Amino acid sequence: MTRIDVHEIAESLRATRGFAHKRDISDVVSALGRSLPGGHAALAQAVPIGDDCAAIPDGHGGYLLFAIEGLVEDFIVRMPWFAGYCGVMVNVSDIYAMGGRPTAVVDALWSTGMNPADDVLRGLAEAAVRYGVPIVGGHSNNRSERPQLAVAILGHARKLLTSFDAKPGDLLVMAADLRGAYEEPFPYWNASTTAPAARLRADLEVLPVLAEDGLCCAGKDISMAGAVGTAMMLLECSGVGARIDIDALPRPGGAPLMRWLSAFPSYGFMLSVKPAQVAEVLSRFAARDIACAVVGEVDSTRQVRLRASGEEALLWDFGSDAFIRPHQQQQEALACP
């Protein structure tokens, strides 16, 4: 077995494009907070900025969920159909990551005539059918110099999973569908487009049921920052730290480690779970043939340390370096009932 240099892994992760994109969030949030009359406090509703969706109380004990995703231009140019498909897929994942179920999507599409708009729209339509989420409107501009795509989604949750409720003593649990392949040359692990539609929906249903059954109240879906970067976002928002065991991460057979750590899986979630509930959480994913494992422990250090091959390295210290949340915006975590 090849020995993993955990210090090299930490250095490589800090240099990834996914980490860079996530770090941009703190600049945007800072600027927005400075411009609002109430400052950064005005950004907090049911959950503060930094979660997968906005969560708005519906007046009946539940929450309306609202999210949006934009796709990078080079992805749209090189893989327009799959970019359209992902526009729906990643939004659906955000809704389920919050413990909700999707209601409908809208899209905003810029293109030069119908090139590549036609392929993008076919991908959007295919994903909408497979995930059972209707496209109910949007905006289009067929006289644009460059293709651009953004997709927004509406959903509903009876009980939330948030990024603000990981607690010291919790265990980090990673769940991922490994029944797929990379969409070359991009870092997208596609376990969606060839899977049965009914299975896709049932696999995602695990998340809101975990929330409703009181088995978990903190989590995020794995994004462009990869599994470790997503865990970092969850930890920073909750004001905690963790030790993450690289050797324990569920990984496709034969997939190079660094590429997997930078991968954006079509189905991937990082959860913070109380030890007494871990066995049941693992069993729920196992019942769906989803790879799932305990990959770390949450602590109060506000540092993220990586472990591998018997060694440990500091990846990030939130006390000295923000990741997605400006230091002045650090807020108390919401209490988890």
Side-chain angles (χ1 to χ4, degrees):
M1 182 175 179
T2 303
R3 182 180 176 278
I4 298 172
D5 186 331
V6 70
H7 299 278
E8 183 178 320
I9 290 293
E11 184 177 349
S12 297
L13 282 172
R14 288 190 291 266
T16 59
R17 181 182 184 182
F19 271 44
H21 276 285
K22 294 305 179 184
R23 296 205 72 188
D24 291 343
I25 294 173
S26 64
D27 294 333
V28 174
V29 174
S30 291
L32 183 59
R34 289 194 302 269
S35 302
L36 291 171
H40 289 102
L43 296 173
Q45 295 184 40
V47 290
I49 294 292
D51 234 315
D52 290 300
C53 303
I56 305 164
D58 64 5
H60 303 287
Y63 299 87
L64 294 176
L65 302 178
F66 188 36
I68 187 169
E69 294 280 354
L71 288 90
V72 294
E73 183 179 327
D74 60 337
F75 182 33
I76 301 168
V77 170
R78 297 177 71 172
M79 303 184 75
W81 183 92
F82 191 56
Y85 188 96
C86 287
V88 172
M89 180 183 73
V90 297
N91 271 296
V92 167
S93 184
D94 281 344
I95 293 290
Y96 280 102
M98 292 285 294
R101 297 172 178 88
T103 303
V105 298
V106 295
D107 67 277
L109 175 62
W110 290 261
S111 184
T112 305
M114 291 303 292
N115 180 27
D118 188 68
D119 286 337
V120 171
L121 291 166
R122 286 194 302 107
L124 282 165
E126 174 71 13
V129 170
R130 291 174 62 76
Y131 284 101
V133 186
I135 301 172
V136 297
H139 167 84
S140 60
N141 182 336
N142 276 9
R143 300 178 185 275
S144 174
E145 293 183 2
R146 298 185 302 275
Q148 304 285 344
L149 175 66
V151 181
I153 191 165
L154 185 68
H156 184 267
R158 298 171 189 159
K159 194 170 181 180
L160 290 177
L161 296 173
T162 87
S163 296
F164 296 84
D165 284 307
K167 307 294 183 185
D170 286 358
L171 298 177
L172 286 177
V173 171
M174 176 181 168
D177 190 347
L178 305 184
R179 298 165 291 186
Y182 283 108
E183 285 291 330
E184 302 292 355
F186 295 98
Y188 309 128
W189 180 261
N190 178 11
S192 174
T193 57
T194 61
R199 192 186 82 196
L200 291 177
R201 300 179 199 177
D203 289 347
L204 286 165
E205 184 67 13
V206 173
L207 279 302
V209 174
L210 287 178
E212 291 159 7
D213 288 351
L215 294 171
C216 182
C217 62
K220 289 187 76 67
D221 69 327
I222 298 174
S223 66
M224 285 297 296
V228 173
T230 298
M232 285 174 54
M233 290 189 284
L234 171 61
L235 297 166
E236 184 183 28
C237 287
S238 293
V240 295
R243 282 175 166 80
I244 298 175
D245 187 352
I246 297 297
D247 297 316
L249 297 176
R251 179 165 44 131
L257 176 60
M258 194 58 220
R259 189 178 192 194
W260 181 242
L261 292 177
S262 304
F264 185 177
S266 60
Y267 184 108
F269 298 90
M270 191 68 70
L271 307 174
S272 184
V273 183
K274 291 177 173 54
Q277 297 165 333
V278 164
E280 181 61 23
V281 170
L282 295 177
S283 72
R284 299 284 180 99
F285 287 107
R288 300 295 316 164
D289 291 327
I290 300 295
C292 187
V294 173
V295 299
E297 310 89 34
V298 179
D299 56 41
S300 59
T301 62
R302 296 187 62 215
Q303 295 180 341
V304 180
R305 293 185 172 274
L306 303 182
R307 291 188 305 220
S309 300
E311 296 187 355
E312 186 172 290
L314 176 65
L315 174 62
W316 211 274
D317 185 343
F318 299 124
S320 60
D321 196 7
F323 190 50
I324 66 169
R325 291 174 60 76
H327 285 299
Q328 66 267 30
Q329 196 198 351
Q330 295 294 341
Q331 301 173 18
E332 291 185 1
L334 298 176
C336 182

